[in-house]
Amino acid sequence: MSKLEELKLELKNLGQEYAKIKTLRESERKAFGEQVNRRKQELLARIKALEEEASSAKVSPIDITAPFAENAKPFTEATGTKHPLTVELDHVAEIYRQMGFNVIEARQLDDEFHMFDSLNFPAGHPARDGYDTFRTTEGFIPPAHTSTMQYRALTRFRDHLEKYGQIAVVVPGRVFRNEDVDATHEHTFYQCEGVFVSKTATLGQLLATWKNFFETYYGQTLNIKTQPGFFPFTEPSLEFQIEKPASLGGKGDGWLEMGGCGMIHPNVLKTAGIDPEVYKGFAWGGGIDRLVMLKYGINDVRYFESGKLEFLKEF
Ligand code: DAH
């Protein structure tokens, strides 16, 4: 029973005390009556006080149609800000949007088919072990790269080939790898995947597309370099490097590895229901955390997932 309920019960019971007056001797009646009355006044006052307190503590209903309530708190440091990776992921998506790409978000739990089979990893191939994938006891896979979204991007936008003559999609997403964590390795990080398909897609367009993205992101022209790579889902496959941007202390002599890319393997197109005899595609994918670390001079990738307020308050 709450204090308020207790007091109300006592007030109710006080009625019986009045009835007792008649049973008392004449000389005792006055004093007893006064005593009961005093208690009654006391109880009424305390009940009133408690009821007022309770009603003022009640939250007034929110009018969601009001743009700003008069007493609304302004957004301050104390209300928080967007995480630097969220801000940069939005920025990355916006650049690609302006280049004409659709943007879809990656999943955070996936399966063997999207992680490997749809990407032309042969069953039992050692390349399946190269991604340090986590697995749930039910056999699901938290994606180790955003390439898991290639099949979904291709099938979801397949009708664009007829309608617009091309598929153009980028997929930012969170990825997970079971590896040792240090200043440059996190088990949880972000990538952005790109997929483009048309009848005339070329490797030159791939390089120009990704170069253009980096130049827009860093706000300056950049040299690029590629090296042969290997990914089962592209043929040929390349590793993509950019020159360290001058605004970040580069002098045209340092190269930064930004990710992998290549012409989409015919088997990947075929699995997604696209005829590789008619259409060609290119794909690319790279880390976002490194991009952001470079931009802001952040020297430890672990800060991103640490929840450290001193770090987050700088953004
Ligand atoms: N998914 C690869 C990785 O995380 C990077 C990559 C390589 C993405 C080639 C692509 C690609 O789209 O075509 O290592």
Side-chain angles (χ1 to χ4, degrees):
M1 209 192 300
S2 73
K3 192 75 205 163
L4 183 62
E5 285 165 336
E6 244 171 57
L7 294 174
K8 281 183 171 175
L9 185 67
E10 192 185 334
L11 183 66
K12 200 171 148 213
N13 292 339
L14 217 55
Q16 293 159 17
E17 298 297 305
Y18 283 108
K20 274 189 202 158
I21 294 181
K22 280 183 279 179
T23 67
L24 295 175
R25 263 179 283 156
E26 198 66 59
S27 59
E28 291 167 344
R29 284 185 188 173
K30 189 170 179 239
F32 184 79
E34 275 172 7
Q35 192 196 325
V36 174
N37 263 337
R38 221 181 299 123
R39 184 62 189 152
K40 185 182 169 184
Q41 295 313 318
E42 228 174 77
L43 286 172
L44 286 172
R46 287 190 62 193
I47 287 170
K48 190 171 168 224
L50 280 178
E51 279 178 344
E52 272 172 11
E53 200 181 295
S55 80
S56 71
K58 265 189 215 125
V59 181
S60 51
I62 295 169
D63 176 5
I64 55 161
T65 63
F68 283 104
E70 253 170 63
N71 58 352
K73 292 194 188 78
F75 289 98
T76 63
E77 204 184 333
T79 38
T81 53
K82 279 192 181 173
H83 190 281
L85 280 174
T86 306
V87 175
E88 295 304 317
L89 280 161
D90 285 350
H91 184 199
V92 166
E94 192 47 37
I95 293 172
Y96 280 118
R97 238 181 241 121
Q98 295 199 2
M99 289 165 72
F101 285 87
N102 291 285
V103 181
I104 57 173
E105 207 180 335
R107 298 170 55 124
Q108 295 195 37
L109 196 57
D110 222 308
D111 57 24
E112 193 80 20
F113 174 77
H114 292 90
M115 178 69 208
F116 296 118
D117 302 74
S118 69
L119 289 169
N120 193 41
F121 283 82
H125 194 277
R128 291 196 181 215
D129 303 328
Y131 280 84
D132 303 312
T133 46
F134 287 111
R135 271 165 211 276
T136 70
T137 44
E138 297 85 355
F140 290 111
I141 298 178
H145 56 177
T146 43
S147 302
T148 45
M149 292 297 290
Q150 283 198 14
Y151 174 85
R152 290 194 187 88
L154 292 172
T155 49
R156 172 155 167 203
F157 293 99
R158 203 168 39 206
D159 64 333
H160 282 200
L161 288 174
E162 289 270 304
K163 275 199 232 163
Y164 312 117
Q166 62 180 47
I167 294 174
V169 190
V170 296
V171 194
R174 200 177 207 187
V175 294
F176 310 88
R177 288 193 194 179
N178 187 4
E179 52 181 18
D180 291 337
V181 170
D182 62 31
T184 55
H185 297 89
E186 247 296 8
H187 49 68
T188 301
F189 55 103
Y190 289 81
Q191 286 190 334
C192 185
E193 191 81 6
V195 174
F196 184 90
V197 181
S198 77
K199 286 185 178 163
T200 56
T202 66
L203 198 63
Q205 289 174 346
L206 161 61
L207 301 183
T209 302
W210 216 4
K211 179 178 194 278
N212 186 50
F213 164 76
F214 285 114
E215 291 187 338
T216 310
Y217 186 79
Y218 287 118
Q220 63 185 97
T221 55
L222 291 167
N223 287 313
I224 60 162
K225 199 160 88 166
T226 58
Q227 284 177 333
F230 171 75
F231 302 99
F233 37 99
T234 40
E235 180 57 40
S237 302
L238 302 172
E239 310 266 1
F240 190 95
Q241 300 178 1
I242 62 167
E243 163 198 354
K244 187 169 180 191
S247 59
L248 305 172
K251 295 177 190 71
D253 49 356
W255 295 97
L256 304 164
E257 177 65 52
M258 295 321 266
C261 58
M263 297 305 288
I264 300 177
H265 195 287
N267 287 349
V268 174
L269 292 176
K270 220 183 292 171
T271 305
I274 295 167
D275 185 353
E277 298 291 328
V278 180
Y279 291 102
K280 297 175 195 340
F282 54 81
W284 66 102
I288 296 295
D289 305 63
R290 276 201 58 202
L291 205 69
V292 178
M293 287 170 74
L294 247 161
K295 181 169 169 180
Y296 292 107
I298 298 163
N299 55 20
D300 194 326
V301 69
R302 290 169 295 192
Y303 282 134
F304 286 135
E305 301 286 329
S306 70
K308 260 187 201 241
L309 279 182
E310 309 91 85
F311 170 73
L312 295 172
K313 277 181 180 170
E314 287 179 36
F315 296 90

